Amino acid sequence: MAFDQVKPLKGYELVMEQLKGRILSGEFAPGTKLASVVDLAASFGVGRSTIREALSALKAMGLVEIRQGGGTTVCLELPKEPGSADGAALFANAQSIRELLEVRKILETGCASLAARNRTGADLRSIEEELLQMETYLHDEAKGEEADVRFHLKLAGATHNSLLISMMESMSERLHDSMRESRKLWFYGERAEANRLLREHSDIFEAIREKDETRAFGAMMSHLGKVEGVLHKAIAEAENGER
């Protein structure tokens, strides 16, 4: 008699499933603020790192929002079919943005380099505005994401190359989708702080300000490479989970 192999759940998965069940049942209604990491750890009898992994997994499913210093809140709009934090759903999300990321690496590194060569003082002020917006909305994911997209589009504008500008503008909607999904994977895979993303954009800006084409190219490649690393990790974990 053959049986399907059973994969034992990790500690954070057990916590995540309990919280997920209470959210989907309505016990934790949309907008509800969850207990602190310290209190949840005490309630479940686990370490804080286990709680953080569980919350990051719920964030990847679109069930909660996590704000540094603001705690964790159940999303006001829950997905109709919340996926799994790992396995097929996460694998699909990673695969769906990998090709776009490959295009971005080719296109945006060139944009950064050319912007460093051609930018004007007005371009610098315009790009810096979005950098300041990203800092202002460091813990507001939606507004921070919008400023992030505008930063990349204005950087393309600083190239003063009409074809590059047109290509970036045509990708605007996909850029939104890419950044939204990669941020979910980023926070699930590494729980990286928003400050790191801000620093990476600041490095790109400073290179353009200094008219350093090589440094601008490298800073953009490094930024996109970090996201690519998270995607590869997500895909590898998903593939291992399917075996």
Side-chain angles (χ1 to χ4, degrees), residues 2 15 21 52 61 83 100 109-110 115 118-119 134 144 159 221 231:
V15 173
R52 291 192 185 97
M61 296 180 196
L100 178 57
T109 51
N118 296 338
R119 61 84 177 157
M134 290 177 67
T159 67
M221 180 65 79
L231 288 175

Side-chain angles (χ1 to χ4, degrees), residues 49 52-53 56 68 185-193:
S49 61
R52 291 192 185 97
E53 287 189 71
S56 294
Q68 293 179 351
L185 291 170
W186 186 290
F187 279 90
Y188 171 64
E190 295 188 356
R191 301 192 306 274
E193 296 180 357

Side-chain angles (χ1 to χ4, degrees), residues 93-161:
N93 284 342
Q95 289 281 40
S96 67
I97 60 177
R98 186 167 61 176
E99 287 188 357
L100 178 57
L101 183 58
E102 290 172 346
V103 173
R104 288 185 62 192
K105 286 177 69 177
I106 295 170
L107 188 61
E108 293 195 64
T109 51
C111 280
S113 180
L114 193 57
R117 182 193 306 172
N118 296 338
R119 61 84 177 157
T120 64
D123 291 326
L124 280 181
R125 290 189 291 273
S126 183
I127 296 170
E128 189 172 25
E129 283 179 9
E130 301 309 332
L131 195 59
L132 293 173
Q133 286 291 300
M134 290 177 67
E135 184 174 12
T136 299
Y137 296 112
L138 198 62
H139 307 306
D140 186 323
E141 190 167 345
K143 290 184 179 179
E145 173 197 314
E146 291 173 1
D148 196 341
V149 172
R150 291 195 301 269
F151 175 93
H152 286 267
L153 292 177
K154 287 186 175 181
L155 187 150
T159 67
H160 296 278
N161 182 301

